[in-house]
Amino acid sequence: MFMTGQPRAAKKLWNSNFVIYLLGSTQSSLGSIISGIALSFVTLEITQSAGATGLTLALSMVPNLLGPFAGTLVDRISLRIPLIVGDLLRFMLMMVVWYLATHGDVQVGLIYAVSFLNGLISIFYTPATEALLPSLVPEEDLARANGILGATSQVVGIGGYAVAGVLVSQLGAGPSLLIDAISFLVMGLMYMLVEIPQPRKDVQQNTFLADFKEGWRTLSTHPLMKHMPLLGFVTMAAMAPLNMMLPKIFQGTGTGAAGFGVFMTVMSVGMLLGSLSITALGNRFKAVPAVGAGLVIYGLCYAALSFSPALWMMWGVAFLFGAGMSFTSSGMVYLLQVETPREQLGRVFGMVFSVQMSGMPLTLLLISGFADRLQLTVIFLSCSAVLLLLAVFWMWVSRRSKAPLAAIAD
């Protein structure tokens, strides 16, 4: 049955609402990994073109440009709508692709359309999930809850790609897409069991434009959050050279795709342990220092890569990369959650994430034309310098802040 009305204040971390949310998001994440690989192979089978696969990814990112407006709308309606309806819509989309794929009638235009529509659903769905979590757990357990979700996500990521590869290779893309479709249906049904808060009446009485301006004002006038779009953009942009150059590095070592796969797996392990350390800290977790520490680790790892380290050192760099990314991303999310008024979470997350998610594709477009003409040392040292300067800037503005920030209060 549907859970309606305002949720009761959570008194403990492991309450029924949080457990349902955790289990549902875990199985849905696994389904998304499976469908990602399946769709890539379906697209490749139809077009025999790697460029078509890249276009599919790009089309899924285009809707991020509308993220701030989508987030504002999320704050004006019940979170039940983007969460439950979003999952059910994705269930229907994947069922259509599954049916056509199993009957050999799928066209590449349909894959492009589904990728775009999935991206469009995500710009409503993602802010809604971030806005929901603070209402499911006690405030003092919010950092621990974020750590648990991050650790679970990394476990799914580590094992999910192996499982997905076996499923797609053994069962084919069609059955794998069906599994993904079912995971969305299950997630939507599970959300019906979660007590989801309703928007405040005074928020609904404002105009859309007034709500948008209010969210922008909250973000742009906060002493630290106003820097979050820049921070998110640069951290995602810094991933672009890594993704672009690592295959070339491992080709040079003679390990090729296998070495690249090990690097990404070890990085995921680093992210997992970083999330587990945040979980262990609980309410002792301090978001602002964590963001700065993550950026420093991130920058030093790029510096290490620039000196062509031995293969065994590459695994250490991969582990530290993952840990640094975990500290930075978890710190940013936690800071936004505790410093943003509850009724504005959707629009503020939408504004930050829309800028953040544009970092990688824009950087790839910028450097792809001349990356082969530059030495790896130059590229990686440049990334290192940018990230370390960003870490210094972040710690400087945090020290200058005079606001009583919950995320750094003793």
Side-chain angles (χ1 to χ4, degrees):
M1 76 181 199
F2 285 91
M3 302 297 291
T4 58
Q6 294 298 331
R8 297 182 299 273
K11 296 181 179 180
K12 59 181 181 179
L13 173 61
W14 293 103
N15 62 80
S16 59
N17 286 325
F18 176 66
V19 171
I20 293 172
Y21 176 86
L22 177 62
L23 292 175
S25 61
T26 299
Q27 62 86 33
S28 183
S29 296
L30 179 59
S32 295
I33 291 173
I34 294 171
S35 73
I37 293 179
L39 279 176
S40 296
F41 277 90
V42 169
T43 304
L44 191 60
E45 183 179 338
I46 295 171
T47 65
Q48 297 299 312
S49 168
T53 304
L55 180 57
T56 301
L57 176 62
L59 286 170
S60 70
M61 293 182 175
V62 168
N64 285 318
L65 297 173
L66 302 175
F69 305 102
T72 302
L73 181 59
V74 166
D75 284 334
R76 296 174 61 84
I77 60 178
S78 169
L79 296 179
R80 187 175 303 280
I81 296 174
L83 293 174
I84 296 177
V85 174
D87 274 319
L88 295 181
L89 286 174
R90 291 195 286 191
F91 161 70
M92 290 186 286
L93 284 174
M94 298 314 299
M95 285 297 292
V96 169
V97 179
W98 163 75
Y99 178 82
L100 293 177
T102 54
H103 289 78
D105 295 329
V106 67
Q107 301 294 321
V108 70
L110 174 66
I111 302 296
Y112 291 157
V114 168
S115 296
F116 177 81
L117 290 173
N118 270 328
L120 191 61
I121 294 169
S122 293
I123 67 172
F124 296 95
Y125 191 89
T126 300
T129 57
E130 299 294 349
L132 176 63
L133 181 60
S135 69
L136 301 183
V137 298
E139 185 175 349
E140 63 270 18
D141 286 323
L142 183 57
R144 183 172 282 114
N146 279 313
I148 291 169
L149 287 169
T152 304
S153 175
Q154 294 312 314
V155 169
V156 171
I158 293 170
Y161 284 104
V163 172
V166 172
L167 284 175
V168 173
S169 61
Q170 297 298 318
L171 302 179
S176 302
L177 291 170
L178 178 60
I179 293 173
D180 182 43
I182 293 173
S183 76
F184 286 131
L185 176 62
V186 171
M187 186 73 233
L189 295 175
M190 294 184 79
Y191 270 132
M192 294 180 185
L193 302 176
V194 176
E195 296 181 43
I196 297 178
Q198 299 294 322
R200 280 172 28 187
K201 292 182 179 180
D202 59 332
V203 173
Q204 293 175 306
Q205 291 171 355
N206 295 336
T207 66
F208 181 91
L209 183 59
D211 281 348
F212 181 86
K213 289 180 177 179
E214 184 182 40
W216 172 249
R217 191 180 306 113
T218 296
L219 181 63
S220 62
T221 59
H222 191 282
L224 284 183
M225 290 200 306
K226 66 183 179 182
H227 304 294
M228 291 294 226
L230 171 66
L231 196 70
F233 181 90
V234 173
T235 53
M236 288 301 293
M239 286 297 295
L242 191 68
N243 288 337
M244 181 178 289
M245 297 300 179
L246 274 181
K248 183 176 181 180
I249 292 176
F250 284 106
Q251 186 179 45
T253 65
T255 58
F260 179 78
V262 172
F263 187 95
M264 299 305 291
T265 300
V266 174
M267 182 160 43
S268 295
V269 172
M271 294 178 70
L272 169 61
L273 293 183
S275 296
L276 289 175
S277 68
I278 294 170
T279 302
L281 286 171
N283 60 5
R284 292 172 295 164
F285 175 67
K286 303 304 177 188
V288 173
V291 171
L295 289 171
V296 170
I297 294 171
Y298 210 177
L300 292 177
C301 285
Y302 258 124
L305 284 178
S306 68
F307 294 105
S308 300
L311 197 58
W312 66 268
M313 292 181 63
M314 293 283 287
W315 311 143
V317 169
F319 178 85
L320 292 174
F321 251 125
M325 291 167 61
S326 178
F327 294 149
T328 298
S329 61
S330 295
M332 288 176 61
V333 168
Y334 182 66
L335 179 61
L336 288 169
Q337 287 173 334
V338 299
E339 293 296 325
T340 304
R342 190 68 59 87
E343 67 275 8
Q344 297 181 32
L345 281 169
R347 71 199 85 163
V348 171
F349 269 105
M351 291 173 184
V352 173
F353 286 161
S354 64
V355 177
Q356 178 178 343
M357 295 307 295
S358 66
M360 185 181 293
L362 288 179
T363 305
L364 287 171
L365 288 173
L366 178 65
I367 69 175
S368 60
F370 58 86
D372 289 331
R373 297 194 294 271
L374 293 177
Q375 293 184 347
L376 290 175
T377 300
V378 174
I379 296 175
F380 287 162
L381 281 179
S382 298
C383 290
S384 175
V386 170
L387 288 165
L388 292 175
L389 287 174
L390 187 62
V392 172
F393 171 76
W394 175 254
M395 299 312 296
W396 176 68
V397 296
S398 68
R399 289 182 180 277
R400 289 182 69 243
S401 171
K402 298 179 181 179
L405 299 175
I408 58 176
D410 293 327

